[in-house]
Amino acid sequence: MEFFRIRHDIPFMSWGKYTTTISLVTFLLSILFLATRGLNFGVDFTGGTLMEVHYSEAPELDKVRASLEGLNLTEASVQNFGTSRDVLIRLPLKADTNSAQLSGQVLQALQQDDSTVEVRRVEFVGPQVGEELVSDGALALLLVSLGIVAYLAVRFEWRFAVAALIANLHDVIIILGFFAFFQWEFSLPVLAAVLAILGYSVNESVVVFDRVRENFRKMRKASVPQIIDNAITRTMSRTIITHGSTQLAVLSMLLFGGHALHYFAVALTIGILFGIYSSVLVASPIVLWLGVSREDFIKVDKKEAPAAP
């Protein structure tokens, strides 16, 4: 299915030095923000108190958040849990208050707005659990990256594996850079979004790489930049349809998913936008720079020299 057909190949590879410069600057800025500001880890990672409360009628979550802000708990997370009358509250650690005292203060504040509120459970999440989540998340990122490299090296060639790995890490670092710069809460759903983007972005790279490999066999007289330009141009319609439809689903989560899905959808949105960019304008120029050639895919038959009389 094609919405449009581009007659002439777009010279993407001639823009390589500009796009590489933009990517390098964005990447370094993200590293700078991560080093100076750091990530604003949520309760899932830092530890804290989880409270599940029940109302007789569905409460307004903004009103619940306002009550918590009155206790100087601005970092608390509030979301519906199960039904519209059940609310899950994640409270950050407070140095001078234990879990029981904190949950008591919160319940008292909530009862001032609605006396029907009841506590269903209170759980304490220790910092040790948060440290394990950080290390497990980093390990998951590492294993996914290694798996991608192995898959592409076997399916294509090592240059494609290196290019895809750099492009995917470029996407991940930029997502983390956004979260560090704006100090958005980095929670488990955001980590899940980052892992999802790794797989999503590599899928787009594989589509372009497949077409590049096919072109090496079909376009015998074309140069390598012309082959890559043709591959990207021929997949543009598919790229727009795929990413456009995916972004529509993510946009619906962003607009209507509420606070629980907000940063998950934000991370996916950034990842999708930069995933398109990196697959076309980061991975492909790197493949060209690494010196991929037709001989990497087409075996040249060496004819034996005739025997001397």
Side-chain angles (χ1 to χ4, degrees):
M1 179 180 179
E2 286 186 335
F3 276 159
F4 54 86
R5 184 180 291 276
I6 303 173
R7 294 182 180 275
H8 302 288
D9 293 345
I10 302 172
F12 291 103
M13 292 304 99
S14 65
W15 307 337
K17 58 183 178 182
Y18 303 111
T19 57
T20 303
T21 302
I22 293 171
S23 295
L24 186 61
V25 170
T26 313
F27 184 85
L28 292 177
L29 282 175
S30 298
I31 294 288
L32 177 66
F33 296 142
L34 284 170
T36 56
R37 292 171 175 253
L39 290 172
N40 176 24
F41 287 111
V43 176
D44 297 331
F45 293 98
T46 60
T49 302
L50 291 177
M51 286 185 66
E52 182 183 341
V53 296
H54 176 78
Y55 288 81
S56 59
E57 300 291 338
E60 295 181 17
L61 296 185
D62 288 339
K63 205 169 180 179
V64 176
R65 294 189 185 99
S67 298
L68 298 177
E69 288 174 3
L71 296 174
N72 200 25
L73 295 170
T74 54
E75 297 177 355
S77 169
V78 179
Q79 64 187 86
N80 284 117
F81 180 74
T83 69
S84 60
R85 293 180 295 174
D86 295 313
V87 178
L88 187 66
I89 303 172
R90 293 182 173 89
L91 304 169
L93 289 174
K94 292 190 74 173
D96 55 346
T97 309
N98 61 37
S99 182
Q101 292 171 333
L102 187 60
S103 59
Q105 293 173 4
V106 170
L107 178 61
Q108 190 176 5
L110 297 180
Q111 285 177 333
Q112 289 178 359
D113 295 327
D114 188 336
S115 59
T116 65
V117 63
E118 300 173 357
V119 176
R120 291 293 173 88
R121 66 183 170 108
V122 176
E123 295 179 1
F124 175 70
V125 181
Q128 181 64 33
V129 176
E131 292 174 5
E132 290 177 3
L133 284 174
V134 172
S135 60
D136 290 348
L139 180 62
L141 281 173
L142 177 64
L143 292 177
V144 170
S145 300
L146 292 177
I148 289 171
V149 170
Y151 166 70
L152 291 177
V154 171
R155 179 165 177 175
F156 296 98
E157 210 249 347
W158 68 268
R159 295 175 180 84
F160 289 87
V162 172
L165 177 65
I166 294 173
N168 287 352
L169 291 181
H170 161 275
D171 300 342
V172 170
I173 293 297
I174 287 176
I175 294 173
L176 297 180
F178 268 95
F179 273 78
F181 179 75
F182 291 105
Q183 286 295 289
W184 293 330
E185 181 183 355
F186 191 87
S187 58
L188 280 179
V190 176
L191 175 61
V194 171
L195 291 173
I197 285 300
L198 270 176
Y200 185 84
S201 182
V202 76
N203 180 62
E204 184 62 27
S205 299
V206 166
V207 171
V208 176
F209 291 167
D210 254 335
R211 186 59 69 96
V212 170
R213 181 173 57 182
E214 184 182 330
N215 281 353
F216 271 123
R217 293 168 181 153
K218 291 168 57 180
M219 302 170 66
R220 297 298 181 99
K221 295 183 179 179
S223 65
V224 177
Q226 288 173 332
I227 285 173
I228 297 176
D229 286 341
N230 180 270
I232 298 173
T233 305
R234 298 281 80 80
T235 56
M236 284 293 291
S237 179
R238 175 230 170 246
T239 299
I240 292 172
I241 294 171
T242 303
H243 292 290
S245 56
T246 305
Q247 186 55 52
L248 282 177
V250 174
L251 193 62
S252 66
M253 283 193 289
L254 186 64
L255 296 177
F256 308 113
H259 182 75
L261 294 177
H262 180 73
Y263 289 121
F264 175 76
V266 168
L268 286 179
T269 299
I270 298 170
I272 289 172
L273 293 177
F274 278 91
I276 302 170
Y277 171 81
S278 68
S279 300
V280 173
L281 297 171
V282 176
S284 297
I286 291 175
V287 167
L288 179 65
W289 179 71
L290 289 175
V292 70
S293 65
R294 181 175 286 103
E295 288 72 23
D296 295 324
F297 296 98
I298 301 174
K299 295 182 180 178
V300 179
D301 294 331
K302 295 182 179 179
K303 295 181 179 179
E304 295 183 0

